[in-house]
Amino acid sequence: MNEPATQAGSPHRPAGGGARKSSAKSPRARAREFALQGLYQYIVGGNDADSVDAFTRDLQGFAKADAVFYDTLLRSCIELHADLDALIVPLLDRPLAQISPIERGCLWIGAYELLRCPDIPWRVALNESIELAKDFGGADGHKYVNAVLNGVAGKTRAAEMADGSKAARQHQNV
């Protein structure tokens, strides 16, 4: 039987870091934060999705999150983790087991959004995952998340990236 979600602990935001002010965060950004906390519980504690979900929904501030988007992220990342890892692993410079649980969760969220959320622009998916890594991860973890997710975006959103580059070049020539 799995341990309660509280046994795994949860990531904490560093005090005074470069985090966006909580009041300025959108419900979707908050959903990503809670999904990351849930994924941390899943990765570190091995807790099942229902236990993680119940624990996370009880955390302070959850009511301000987009609960539907949170649920989609959490459950989809857990369900598709092998597919997400298959996208991520070829882009890593070290074994997956050496990636911190926070970075791995950020990579799962970003890879999921790039793969399955075409309504979210690729740059937004990258930026939101980078912000999560800045807020919750180690000192330079966001740089690693950025590099890996840029590679994932190249595989999953090549046409969108090319359109954006083309538009940027046209804008410079005006």
PDB file of all heavy atoms in Angstrom, residues 25-34 64-66 69-70 73 113 117 119-120 128:
ATOM      1  N   LYS A  25      -0.482  35.840 -10.526  1.00  0.00           N
ATOM      2  CA  LYS A  25      -0.514  34.570 -11.235  1.00  0.00           C
ATOM      3  C   LYS A  25      -1.919  34.247 -11.720  1.00  0.00           C
ATOM      4  O   LYS A  25      -2.895  34.435 -11.008  1.00  0.00           O
ATOM      5  CB  LYS A  25      -0.008  33.451 -10.342  1.00  0.00           C
ATOM      6  CG  LYS A  25       1.464  33.588 -10.057  1.00  0.00           C
ATOM      7  CD  LYS A  25       1.972  32.458  -9.240  1.00  0.00           C
ATOM      8  CE  LYS A  25       3.438  32.695  -8.939  1.00  0.00           C
ATOM      9  NZ  LYS A  25       3.971  31.682  -8.070  1.00  0.00           N
ATOM     10  N   SER A  26      -1.976  33.735 -12.928  1.00  0.00           N
ATOM     11  CA  SER A  26      -3.254  33.316 -13.494  1.00  0.00           C
ATOM     12  C   SER A  26      -3.682  31.990 -12.861  1.00  0.00           C
ATOM     13  O   SER A  26      -2.849  31.261 -12.305  1.00  0.00           O
ATOM     14  CB  SER A  26      -3.121  33.140 -15.006  1.00  0.00           C
ATOM     15  OG  SER A  26      -2.362  31.982 -15.300  1.00  0.00           O
ATOM     16  N   PRO A  27      -4.965  31.671 -12.961  1.00  0.00           N
ATOM     17  CA  PRO A  27      -5.416  30.373 -12.459  1.00  0.00           C
ATOM     18  C   PRO A  27      -4.683  29.199 -13.126  1.00  0.00           C
ATOM     19  O   PRO A  27      -4.418  28.193 -12.476  1.00  0.00           O
ATOM     20  CB  PRO A  27      -6.905  30.357 -12.795  1.00  0.00           C
ATOM     21  CG  PRO A  27      -7.290  31.818 -12.768  1.00  0.00           C
ATOM     22  CD  PRO A  27      -6.097  32.524 -13.351  1.00  0.00           C
ATOM     23  N   ARG A  28      -4.314  29.343 -14.398  1.00  0.00           N
ATOM     24  CA  ARG A  28      -3.571  28.272 -15.073  1.00  0.00           C
ATOM     25  C   ARG A  28      -2.159  28.153 -14.516  1.00  0.00           C
ATOM     26  O   ARG A  28      -1.648  27.048 -14.340  1.00  0.00           O
ATOM     27  CB  ARG A  28      -3.520  28.500 -16.578  1.00  0.00           C
ATOM     28  CG  ARG A  28      -4.726  27.934 -17.276  1.00  0.00           C
ATOM     29  CD  ARG A  28      -4.480  27.780 -18.743  1.00  0.00           C
ATOM     30  NE  ARG A  28      -5.474  26.857 -19.264  1.00  0.00           N
ATOM     31  CZ  ARG A  28      -5.419  26.337 -20.455  1.00  0.00           C
ATOM     32  NH1 ARG A  28      -4.425  26.627 -21.267  1.00  0.00           N
ATOM     33  NH2 ARG A  28      -6.352  25.511 -20.853  1.00  0.00           N
ATOM     34  N   ALA A  29      -1.506  29.276 -14.246  1.00  0.00           N
ATOM     35  CA  ALA A  29      -0.167  29.227 -13.654  1.00  0.00           C
ATOM     36  C   ALA A  29      -0.237  28.559 -12.283  1.00  0.00           C
ATOM     37  O   ALA A  29       0.636  27.743 -11.932  1.00  0.00           O
ATOM     38  CB  ALA A  29       0.430  30.630 -13.546  1.00  0.00           C
ATOM     39  N   ARG A  30      -1.243  28.881 -11.516  1.00  0.00           N
ATOM     40  CA  ARG A  30      -1.420  28.241 -10.206  1.00  0.00           C
ATOM     41  C   ARG A  30      -1.673  26.741 -10.371  1.00  0.00           C
ATOM     42  O   ARG A  30      -1.169  25.931  -9.598  1.00  0.00           O
ATOM     43  CB  ARG A  30      -2.570  28.881  -9.445  1.00  0.00           C
ATOM     44  CG  ARG A  30      -2.310  30.310  -9.022  1.00  0.00           C
ATOM     45  CD  ARG A  30      -3.597  30.925  -8.447  1.00  0.00           C
ATOM     46  NE  ARG A  30      -3.471  32.341  -8.255  1.00  0.00           N
ATOM     47  CZ  ARG A  30      -3.063  32.914  -7.132  1.00  0.00           C
ATOM     48  NH1 ARG A  30      -2.729  32.163  -6.104  1.00  0.00           N
ATOM     49  NH2 ARG A  30      -2.981  34.226  -7.041  1.00  0.00           N
ATOM     50  N   ALA A  31      -2.453  26.375 -11.381  1.00  0.00           N
ATOM     51  CA  ALA A  31      -2.723  24.956 -11.639  1.00  0.00           C
ATOM     52  C   ALA A  31      -1.422  24.213 -11.928  1.00  0.00           C
ATOM     53  O   ALA A  31      -1.223  23.082 -11.462  1.00  0.00           O
ATOM     54  CB  ALA A  31      -3.698  24.804 -12.808  1.00  0.00           C
ATOM     55  N   ARG A  32      -0.536  24.851 -12.697  1.00  0.00           N
ATOM     56  CA  ARG A  32       0.759  24.236 -12.990  1.00  0.00           C
ATOM     57  C   ARG A  32       1.568  24.042 -11.702  1.00  0.00           C
ATOM     58  O   ARG A  32       2.237  23.024 -11.523  1.00  0.00           O
ATOM     59  CB  ARG A  32       1.546  25.084 -13.985  1.00  0.00           C
ATOM     60  CG  ARG A  32       1.019  25.026 -15.399  1.00  0.00           C
ATOM     61  CD  ARG A  32       1.856  25.902 -16.332  1.00  0.00           C
ATOM     62  NE  ARG A  32       1.303  25.925 -17.667  1.00  0.00           N
ATOM     63  CZ  ARG A  32       0.493  26.876 -18.131  1.00  0.00           C
ATOM     64  NH1 ARG A  32       0.149  27.910 -17.358  1.00  0.00           N
ATOM     65  NH2 ARG A  32       0.043  26.818 -19.364  1.00  0.00           N
ATOM     66  N   GLU A  33       1.532  25.022 -10.819  1.00  0.00           N
ATOM     67  CA  GLU A  33       2.260  24.903  -9.551  1.00  0.00           C
ATOM     68  C   GLU A  33       1.747  23.731  -8.730  1.00  0.00           C
ATOM     69  O   GLU A  33       2.533  22.951  -8.198  1.00  0.00           O
ATOM     70  CB  GLU A  33       2.135  26.189  -8.735  1.00  0.00           C
ATOM     71  CG  GLU A  33       2.902  27.345  -9.288  1.00  0.00           C
ATOM     72  CD  GLU A  33       2.793  28.589  -8.427  1.00  0.00           C
ATOM     73  OE1 GLU A  33       1.964  28.615  -7.477  1.00  0.00           O
ATOM     74  OE2 GLU A  33       3.543  29.542  -8.696  1.00  0.00           O
ATOM     75  N   PHE A  34       0.431  23.618  -8.625  1.00  0.00           N
ATOM     76  CA  PHE A  34      -0.132  22.516  -7.846  1.00  0.00           C
ATOM     77  C   PHE A  34       0.104  21.177  -8.539  1.00  0.00           C
ATOM     78  O   PHE A  34       0.368  20.168  -7.879  1.00  0.00           O
ATOM     79  CB  PHE A  34      -1.613  22.755  -7.550  1.00  0.00           C
ATOM     80  CG  PHE A  34      -1.828  23.798  -6.492  1.00  0.00           C
ATOM     81  CD1 PHE A  34      -2.290  25.061  -6.824  1.00  0.00           C
ATOM     82  CD2 PHE A  34      -1.538  23.530  -5.162  1.00  0.00           C
ATOM     83  CE1 PHE A  34      -2.469  26.036  -5.846  1.00  0.00           C
ATOM     84  CE2 PHE A  34      -1.714  24.491  -4.173  1.00  0.00           C
ATOM     85  CZ  PHE A  34      -2.182  25.749  -4.518  1.00  0.00           C
ATOM     86  N   LYS A  64      -7.772  29.045  -5.876  1.00  0.00           N
ATOM     87  CA  LYS A  64      -7.479  30.064  -6.887  1.00  0.00           C
ATOM     88  C   LYS A  64      -6.904  29.463  -8.171  1.00  0.00           C
ATOM     89  O   LYS A  64      -6.648  30.180  -9.130  1.00  0.00           O
ATOM     90  CB  LYS A  64      -6.501  31.092  -6.326  1.00  0.00           C
ATOM     91  CG  LYS A  64      -7.098  31.918  -5.202  1.00  0.00           C
ATOM     92  CD  LYS A  64      -6.106  32.929  -4.687  1.00  0.00           C
ATOM     93  CE  LYS A  64      -6.703  33.743  -3.553  1.00  0.00           C
ATOM     94  NZ  LYS A  64      -5.744  34.729  -3.039  1.00  0.00           N
ATOM     95  N   ALA A  65      -6.700  28.148  -8.177  1.00  0.00           N
ATOM     96  CA  ALA A  65      -6.138  27.470  -9.352  1.00  0.00           C
ATOM     97  C   ALA A  65      -7.263  27.016 -10.280  1.00  0.00           C
ATOM     98  O   ALA A  65      -8.399  26.819  -9.849  1.00  0.00           O
ATOM     99  CB  ALA A  65      -5.316  26.259  -8.909  1.00  0.00           C
ATOM    100  N   ASP A  66      -6.933  26.841 -11.545  1.00  0.00           N
ATOM    101  CA  ASP A  66      -7.848  26.260 -12.521  1.00  0.00           C
ATOM    102  C   ASP A  66      -7.865  24.757 -12.248  1.00  0.00           C
ATOM    103  O   ASP A  66      -6.967  24.028 -12.685  1.00  0.00           O
ATOM    104  CB  ASP A  66      -7.342  26.580 -13.934  1.00  0.00           C
ATOM    105  CG  ASP A  66      -8.197  26.000 -15.043  1.00  0.00           C
ATOM    106  OD1 ASP A  66      -8.905  24.992 -14.801  1.00  0.00           O
ATOM    107  OD2 ASP A  66      -8.139  26.533 -16.163  1.00  0.00           O
ATOM    108  N   PHE A  69      -7.758  22.325 -15.300  1.00  0.00           N
ATOM    109  CA  PHE A  69      -6.441  22.263 -15.934  1.00  0.00           C
ATOM    110  C   PHE A  69      -5.460  21.514 -15.038  1.00  0.00           C
ATOM    111  O   PHE A  69      -4.665  20.702 -15.524  1.00  0.00           O
ATOM    112  CB  PHE A  69      -5.941  23.678 -16.243  1.00  0.00           C
ATOM    113  CG  PHE A  69      -4.702  23.718 -17.084  1.00  0.00           C
ATOM    114  CD1 PHE A  69      -4.668  23.169 -18.354  1.00  0.00           C
ATOM    115  CD2 PHE A  69      -3.558  24.330 -16.609  1.00  0.00           C
ATOM    116  CE1 PHE A  69      -3.519  23.213 -19.130  1.00  0.00           C
ATOM    117  CE2 PHE A  69      -2.403  24.384 -17.377  1.00  0.00           C
ATOM    118  CZ  PHE A  69      -2.390  23.821 -18.644  1.00  0.00           C
ATOM    119  N   TYR A  70      -5.498  21.761 -13.745  1.00  0.00           N
ATOM    120  CA  TYR A  70      -4.660  21.030 -12.788  1.00  0.00           C
ATOM    121  C   TYR A  70      -4.888  19.532 -12.933  1.00  0.00           C
ATOM    122  O   TYR A  70      -3.945  18.754 -13.040  1.00  0.00           O
ATOM    123  CB  TYR A  70      -4.966  21.482 -11.352  1.00  0.00           C
ATOM    124  CG  TYR A  70      -4.676  20.420 -10.324  1.00  0.00           C
ATOM    125  CD1 TYR A  70      -3.379  20.202  -9.871  1.00  0.00           C
ATOM    126  CD2 TYR A  70      -5.694  19.594  -9.838  1.00  0.00           C
ATOM    127  CE1 TYR A  70      -3.104  19.199  -8.954  1.00  0.00           C
ATOM    128  CE2 TYR A  70      -5.425  18.595  -8.921  1.00  0.00           C
ATOM    129  CZ  TYR A  70      -4.135  18.397  -8.486  1.00  0.00           C
ATOM    130  OH  TYR A  70      -3.865  17.401  -7.588  1.00  0.00           O
ATOM    131  N   LEU A  73      -3.415  18.190 -16.158  1.00  0.00           N
ATOM    132  CA  LEU A  73      -1.953  18.096 -16.088  1.00  0.00           C
ATOM    133  C   LEU A  73      -1.498  16.947 -15.197  1.00  0.00           C
ATOM    134  O   LEU A  73      -0.662  16.135 -15.606  1.00  0.00           O
ATOM    135  CB  LEU A  73      -1.354  19.405 -15.560  1.00  0.00           C
ATOM    136  CG  LEU A  73      -1.275  20.569 -16.506  1.00  0.00           C
ATOM    137  CD1 LEU A  73      -0.739  21.797 -15.776  1.00  0.00           C
ATOM    138  CD2 LEU A  73      -0.406  20.248 -17.711  1.00  0.00           C
ATOM    139  N   GLU A 113       2.349  19.720 -22.372  1.00  0.00           N
ATOM    140  CA  GLU A 113       1.700  20.858 -23.032  1.00  0.00           C
ATOM    141  C   GLU A 113       2.133  20.966 -24.495  1.00  0.00           C
ATOM    142  O   GLU A 113       1.312  21.264 -25.367  1.00  0.00           O
ATOM    143  CB  GLU A 113       1.985  22.155 -22.274  1.00  0.00           C
ATOM    144  CG  GLU A 113       1.248  22.224 -20.958  1.00  0.00           C
ATOM    145  CD  GLU A 113       1.397  23.554 -20.243  1.00  0.00           C
ATOM    146  OE1 GLU A 113       1.964  24.506 -20.811  1.00  0.00           O
ATOM    147  OE2 GLU A 113       0.933  23.637 -19.097  1.00  0.00           O
ATOM    148  N   CYS A 117      -1.341  19.941 -26.013  1.00  0.00           N
ATOM    149  CA  CYS A 117      -2.123  21.178 -25.821  1.00  0.00           C
ATOM    150  C   CYS A 117      -1.814  22.178 -26.934  1.00  0.00           C
ATOM    151  O   CYS A 117      -1.132  23.186 -26.699  1.00  0.00           O
ATOM    152  CB  CYS A 117      -1.831  21.795 -24.455  1.00  0.00           C
ATOM    153  SG  CYS A 117      -2.198  20.727 -23.055  1.00  0.00           S
ATOM    154  N   ASP A 119      -3.490  24.425 -28.152  1.00  0.00           N
ATOM    155  CA  ASP A 119      -4.029  25.757 -27.869  1.00  0.00           C
ATOM    156  C   ASP A 119      -3.057  26.616 -27.057  1.00  0.00           C
ATOM    157  O   ASP A 119      -3.221  27.831 -26.983  1.00  0.00           O
ATOM    158  CB  ASP A 119      -5.366  25.648 -27.124  1.00  0.00           C
ATOM    159  CG  ASP A 119      -5.234  24.903 -25.799  1.00  0.00           C
ATOM    160  OD1 ASP A 119      -4.636  23.796 -25.791  1.00  0.00           O
ATOM    161  OD2 ASP A 119      -5.738  25.408 -24.777  1.00  0.00           O
ATOM    162  N   ILE A 120      -2.053  25.997 -26.466  1.00  0.00           N
ATOM    163  CA  ILE A 120      -1.040  26.728 -25.700  1.00  0.00           C
ATOM    164  C   ILE A 120       0.157  26.941 -26.630  1.00  0.00           C
ATOM    165  O   ILE A 120       0.780  25.973 -27.059  1.00  0.00           O
ATOM    166  CB  ILE A 120      -0.614  25.950 -24.438  1.00  0.00           C
ATOM    167  CG1 ILE A 120      -1.816  25.741 -23.518  1.00  0.00           C
ATOM    168  CG2 ILE A 120       0.518  26.681 -23.711  1.00  0.00           C
ATOM    169  CD1 ILE A 120      -1.550  24.844 -22.333  1.00  0.00           C
ATOM    170  N   GLU A 128       6.316  28.841 -19.063  1.00  0.00           N
ATOM    171  CA  GLU A 128       5.650  28.445 -17.812  1.00  0.00           C
ATOM    172  C   GLU A 128       6.451  27.351 -17.085  1.00  0.00           C
ATOM    173  O   GLU A 128       6.576  27.396 -15.864  1.00  0.00           O
ATOM    174  CB  GLU A 128       4.223  27.984 -18.089  1.00  0.00           C
ATOM    175  CG  GLU A 128       3.299  29.119 -18.503  1.00  0.00           C
ATOM    176  CD  GLU A 128       3.079  30.164 -17.423  1.00  0.00           C
ATOM    177  OE1 GLU A 128       3.044  29.819 -16.221  1.00  0.00           O
ATOM    178  OE2 GLU A 128       2.921  31.347 -17.785  1.00  0.00           O
TER     179      GLU A 128
END
